[in-house]
Amino acid sequence: MGVSRALLRYLVSLSLIIHAAVTTANFFKPFNVSYDHRALIIDGKRRMLISAGFHYPRATPEMWPDLIAKSKKGGADVIQTYVFWNGHEPVRGQYYFEGRYDIIKFVKLVGASGLYLHLRIGPYVCAEWNFGGFPVWLRDVPGIEFRTDNVPFKEEMERFVKKIVKLMQEEMLFSWQGGPIIMLQIENEYGDIESAYHQRGKEYVKWAAQMALGLGAGVPWVMCKQSDAPDNIINACNGYYCDGFKPNSPNKPVFWTEDWDGWYTKWGGRLPHRPAEDLAFAVARFFQRGGSFQNYYMYFGGTNFNRTSGGPFYVTSYDYDAPIDEYGLLSEPKWGHLKDLHAAIKLCEPALVAADSPQYIKLGPKQEAHVYHVDTNTEGLNLTQYGSQSRCSAFLANIDERKAAVVRFLGQTYHLPPWSVSILPDCRNTVFNTAKVGAQTSIKTVEFELPLFSNISACQQFTVHDEVSYFSKSWMTVKEPIGIWSKKIFSVQGILEHLNVTKDHSDYLWYITRIYVSDDDITFWEEKQVRPTLTIDSMRDVLRVFINGQLTGSVIGRWVKVVQPVRFVQGYNDLVLLSETVGLQNYGAFLEKDGAGFRGQIKLTGFKNGDIDLSTLSWTYQVGLKGEFSSIYTVEENEKAGWSDLTVDAIPATFTWYKVYLSLNMG
Ligand SMILES: *[C@@H]1O[C@H](CO)[C@@H](O)[C@H](O)[C@H]1NC(C)=O
Ligand SMILES: *[C@@H]1O[C@H](CO)[C@@H](O)[C@H](O)[C@H]1NC(C)=O
Ligand SMILES: *[C@@H]1O[C@H](CO)[C@@H](O)[C@H](O)[C@H]1NC(C)=O
Ligand SMILES: *[C@@H]1O[C@H](CO)[C@@H](O)[C@H](O)[C@H]1NC(C)=O
Ligand SMILES: *[C@@H]1O[C@H](CO)[C@@H](O)[C@H](O)[C@H]1NC(C)=O
């Protein structure tokens, strides 16, 4: 038992540190992976596979072993992750594979646990991840256009994909080398935006497929949401329900790369929730109707550490209402209900893989059975002959959302709750119904222990407990300067594009200028009873307007118009615009053109002698916040910041850092 002192910001999660024995290779006896119209074929055998999606940089390496173990215990056969290009290549040509980006360690841990891995390289990944996983420097490659038939882009993409495939091969991580990797992915949901690129989009899809297949990775590749995926690439479904999905060739199996078991959260948005019963229904229906690979997106969502949240406006938490919550705790009854479902599906696996397709039997207006057995029909089906090998399995569905149903199936009567599937591994006994939750429901409690400030209403919802052993008597503060704070500034005439200046090293960009206001202007405004107005054609994500050091207005939105009345004094006025990004765009066509900050005309209107075009003025640029760049939030650096005790009178200030010490009882 030890007591440590830590900044509130770092009280993120506690986790068990398990030192897994990770050796260099050969987690499995080498095996080949291929596929037919029914399933993946692993070492010569068709398999029904349950996959748990989780992204290694959204947890800490200390959490990985426990998360993998919990996935396995929950019935997963496979772990699925994206590969995060902007994490692995922060500077062009300089790769990073340490810490949360130690993908080799992650893949080895998966292998050591006996699970397989589906590696979705992308390298565009969307993922509610900053810039969809693209490094921001990619914008600066001359002549580049992302995700289309564009030579500079294709060169960069190929270089990174090759790098990852080579790395995995060198580390002996493909199945045929005795590693866990059974499947890969190239691109990601490109079908959603392909039409924006016309013929060049089609060419790009063909190129991406050929490029991937040419790398000799030796395992199948998928493209998700890609109905024109070429031969030899499996086109897979993403969505809330995929039981009606048909791949674009009768030779391809039915795969579900993203089963959306929850959703992400936006600042100010609602916390999404998908009930365990509906999720289990969707999964059971998928296997009922011929599916053979299903991945939960997410099985563990985790946290967007540092500045990795995409956007705009996605929160730091990526909990996703997943079966394992952000802190690595089982989310019940979801986790347990799915575990029971997976066990039921596993009992059916021998019959599911033996049959080339299910036999359909209509049981009622909204009730149906799908039967998997090796005989050609169920006429005179002799169930006892299959014995414990259960070579006949059936799914009975009631897709009526409101009414329960009683159905007859192979001479027996079954009760089906509304919107449910019963699973009969021996075509006779129901071992699981998706609407009947047997798993325990647990209510998690999280206790906050913070000093009580009667003036800070946000704190009033927290109860102070007796157990708290230490926290500092008061909060401390330090003010953030408005505008220039460093020598690293420069001035140019005109408005520069936000990302072109920050290169995304910070969310914040200060634009600083001076406006001269004459006596005539003041008189004009007084007589007309008007105020001058700052107008910007279009802006994202957050704008703060300061005049003479005072916050005058804020605008929040994605490419919204700014019409902000302002107030000047006679003489020179400091006009400071703070442009903030809140997660770079991660979805959509033409990402390289999206950028951030301001677009179009930017002017002050309502002056006596007409509008002032602000793009003709000289502006000084300052990137970032002082506290941010001096790492004021770290244990090591924070003491240097010159903190003072927070007094009641000092609470409201525009830009202020706050800190408090408290103890963590790390039993
Ligand atoms: C995998 O397939 C390759 C190519 O067909 C073959 O040479 C190799 O022996 C196979 N490996 C295993 C373990 O079956
Ligand atoms: C940003 O910089 C690039 C050059 O790196 C330039 O091509 C582009 O026009 C700039 N964007 C804007 C909006 O100024
Ligand atoms: C994330 O932030 C922490 C704390 O500032 C820093 O130590 C770490 O290097 C950052 N990690 C990455 C990958 O940027
Ligand atoms: C069903 O199969 C078993 C085992 O092969 C056999 O003993 C039994 O007579 C068969 N029943 C019918 C009705 O054909
Ligand atoms: C803040 O709290 C102090 C002490 O409880 C009280 O005297 C004061 O009126 C409060 N101020 C406001 C603005 O609520």
Side-chain angles (χ1 to χ4, degrees):
M1 185 156 132
V3 176
S4 83
R5 231 161 141 235
L7 283 174
L8 177 59
R9 200 187 144 104
Y10 283 91
L11 305 183
V12 179
S13 68
L14 309 176
S15 70
L16 267 178
I17 300 172
I18 297 168
H19 293 282
V22 176
T23 54
T24 44
N26 286 87
F27 302 105
F28 304 90
K29 197 166 142 291
F31 61 99
N32 281 331
V33 183
S34 60
Y35 63 89
D36 67 4
H37 75 280
R38 179 72 184 103
L40 268 189
I41 299 174
I42 291 186
D43 205 11
K45 293 189 198 79
R46 281 183 187 159
R47 289 296 313 275
M48 295 293 121
L49 295 168
I50 303 290
S51 170
F54 91 75
H55 301 148
Y56 51 96
R58 282 180 158 141
T60 63
E62 292 80 8
M63 293 168 81
W64 292 343
D66 184 50
L67 294 170
I68 294 166
K70 282 171 173 158
S71 305
K72 186 175 185 180
K73 201 170 164 208
D77 309 290
V78 181
I79 300 287
Q80 184 205 68
T81 184
Y82 281 130
V83 177
F84 296 87
W85 188 1
N86 53 13
H88 291 301
E89 199 179 350
V91 176
R92 187 164 181 267
Q94 289 178 27
Y95 295 100
Y96 181 76
F97 293 103
E98 317 267 315
R100 288 187 287 101
Y101 293 95
D102 191 346
I103 188 174
I104 298 294
K105 180 175 180 179
F106 178 76
V107 178
K108 287 180 178 176
L109 285 167
V110 172
S113 75
L115 295 183
Y116 301 132
L117 187 84
H118 179 203
L119 197 65
R120 303 168 84 196
I121 302 178
Y124 168 75
V125 296
C126 193
E128 291 72 67
W129 188 264
N130 198 46
F131 215 33
F134 283 143
V136 173
W137 55 255
L138 202 61
R139 300 169 77 243
D140 296 333
V141 173
I144 202 159
E145 289 173 85
F146 295 175
R147 303 176 75 197
T148 186
D149 189 15
N150 167 271
V151 172
F153 177 75
K154 290 191 295 188
E155 280 175 6
E156 294 297 326
M157 171 167 164
E158 181 167 1
R159 188 172 54 78
F160 183 73
V161 174
K162 259 188 186 156
K163 169 88 189 172
I164 295 299
V165 168
K166 192 159 161 267
L167 193 62
M168 296 300 144
Q169 193 167 338
E170 282 166 2
E171 297 284 339
M172 311 279 285
L173 294 172
F174 286 108
S175 70
W176 48 273
Q177 302 174 296
I181 302 173
I182 56 166
M183 194 155 64
L184 298 165
Q185 177 178 304
I186 194 73
E187 249 296 337
N188 187 60
E189 298 190 341
Y190 187 69
D192 284 359
I193 61 158
E194 187 172 337
S195 63
Y197 294 97
H198 309 286
Q199 190 55 34
R200 295 174 70 208
K202 292 189 172 60
E203 295 302 323
Y204 168 67
V205 171
K206 282 186 221 150
W207 168 82
Q210 286 319 309
M211 185 272 285
L213 292 169
L215 297 177
V219 296
W221 290 82
V222 301
M223 281 182 161
C224 56
K225 284 199 175 176
Q226 193 66 56
S227 57
D228 61 353
D231 289 349
N232 303 321
I233 300 263
I234 302 163
N235 64 309
C237 183
N238 291 350
Y240 289 107
Y241 304 94
C242 279
D243 55 280
F245 177 76
K246 297 250 181 311
N248 63 4
S249 152
N251 304 322
K252 296 179 187 180
V254 179
F255 283 4
W256 192 356
T257 30
E258 293 186 15
D259 176 353
W260 300 331
D261 51 16
W263 203 242
Y264 54 87
T265 310
K266 284 192 164 194
W267 288 106
R270 286 185 293 181
L271 283 180
H273 174 61
R274 185 172 187 193
E277 294 89 333
D278 178 59
L279 179 57
F281 173 82
V283 175
R285 286 290 283 163
F286 179 72
F287 284 97
Q288 169 166 16
R289 298 182 65 193
S292 60
F293 174 97
Q294 183 268 152
N295 172 71
Y296 294 101
Y297 190 100
M298 306 296 302
Y299 196 72
F300 162 80
T303 306
N304 297 313
F305 290 106
N306 292 35
R307 297 173 52 251
T308 58
S309 286
F313 308 123
Y314 302 158
V315 303
T316 310
S317 170
Y318 201 63
D319 181 272
Y320 221 86
D321 193 30
I324 303 177
D325 77 7
E326 179 174 9
Y327 307 102
L329 306 173
L330 302 183
S331 192
E332 297 289 20
K334 209 174 229 184
W335 184 86
H337 191 49
L338 296 176
K339 178 177 191 271
D340 295 344
L341 165 69
H342 303 153
I345 292 171
K346 281 280 124 71
L347 290 173
C348 302
E349 190 172 2
L352 292 182
V353 299
D356 276 335
S357 58
Q359 184 187 357
Y360 172 83
I361 302 173
K362 194 169 171 64
L363 303 175
K366 287 186 170 180
Q367 293 77 33
E368 61 185 19
H370 288 75
V371 188
Y372 290 87
H373 59 91
V374 281
D375 297 341
T376 47
N377 61 62
T378 48
E379 234 32 79
L381 187 65
N382 183 341
L383 294 177
T384 50
Q385 91 190 44
Y386 299 113
S388 60
Q389 278 305 299
S390 130
R391 299 290 281 217
C392 178
S393 295
F395 295 79
L396 313 186
N398 177 13
I399 61 171
D400 192 314
E401 288 175 52
R402 272 172 291 275
K403 289 197 215 90
V406 177
V407 296
R408 295 281 295 168
F409 172 70
L410 298 183
Q412 299 215 73
T413 300
Y414 296 87
H415 294 262
L416 304 177
W419 201 247
S420 79
V421 177
S422 280
I423 300 180
L424 287 56
D426 58 357
C427 282
R428 187 176 292 272
N429 296 294
T430 302
V431 299
F432 183 85
N433 177 278
T434 58
K436 294 178 184 165
V437 178
Q440 289 252 313
T441 299
S442 72
I443 295 166
K444 279 172 288 188
T445 56
V446 178
E447 291 178 349
F448 291 88
E449 294 160 348
L450 292 174
L452 200 61
F453 261 97
S454 57
N455 296 78
I456 301 175
S457 62
C459 288
Q460 287 166 0
Q461 62 190 284
F462 304 131
T463 348
V464 173
H465 292 267
D466 290 333
E467 300 98 308
V468 69
S469 39
Y470 172 82
F471 49 72
S472 52
K473 287 194 188 64
S474 69
W475 287 76
M476 304 185 85
T477 68
V478 60
K479 284 205 172 70
E480 179 65 33
I482 304 300
I484 298 166
W485 56 267
S486 80
K487 294 203 178 74
K488 277 195 187 167
I489 51 169
F490 64 91
S491 299
V492 293
Q493 191 189 343
I495 299 289
L496 299 178
E497 200 272 336
H498 180 117
L499 284 180
N500 271 2
V501 182
T502 64
K503 304 294 176 196
D504 200 37
H505 290 132
S506 169
D507 285 337
Y508 301 92
L509 179 60
W510 300 93
Y511 294 75
I512 301 143
T513 194
R514 275 194 160 180
I515 305 290
Y516 184 76
V517 170
S518 67
D519 268 341
D520 286 354
D521 288 315
I522 302 276
T523 315
F524 176 72
W525 295 328
E526 279 168 1
E527 279 175 1
K528 299 259 174 186
Q529 298 209 325
V530 294
R531 282 169 70 184
T533 301
L534 169 72
T535 65
I536 304 174
D537 283 352
S538 188
M539 182 283 315
R540 69 173 290 177
D541 300 319
V542 176
L543 166 67
R544 313 248 180 231
V545 182
F546 298 87
I547 292 171
N548 300 322
Q550 294 300 309
L551 180 67
T552 300
S554 297
V555 183
I556 298 176
R558 175 171 182 259
W559 299 128
V560 291
K561 191 171 170 66
V562 176
V563 181
Q564 175 64 51
V566 292
R567 212 181 279 282
F568 291 118
V569 294
Q570 196 274 315
Y572 282 103
N573 291 260
D574 289 328
L575 172 63
V576 174
L577 306 179
L578 175 61
S579 168
E580 307 174 22
T581 51
V582 188
L584 300 189
Q585 189 72 25
N586 60 260
Y587 179 82
F590 313 116
L591 274 192
E592 75 283 2
K593 294 189 181 66
D594 197 71
F598 314 133
R599 271 185 190 167
Q601 293 219 316
I602 165 162
K603 49 188 184 177
L604 284 170
T605 61
F607 280 72
K608 183 155 191 265
N609 296 325
D611 298 348
I612 299 177
D613 180 353
L614 292 176
S615 66
T616 63
L617 303 187
S618 171
W619 291 82
T620 299
Y621 291 84
Q622 166 77 65
V623 175
L625 304 180
K626 184 178 180 208
E628 177 189 18
F629 277 67
S630 53
S631 301
I632 195 173
Y633 48 83
T634 62
V635 176
E636 300 78 27
E637 301 299 324
N638 86 88
E639 295 295 350
K640 296 177 192 156
W643 298 91
S644 55
D645 283 343
L646 173 64
T647 59
V648 162
D649 315 328
I651 291 173
T654 311
F655 265 45
T656 308
W657 295 83
Y658 296 90
K659 78 163 172 177
V660 70
Y661 288 106
L662 51 118
S663 69
L664 261 189
N665 212 331
M666 301 174 85

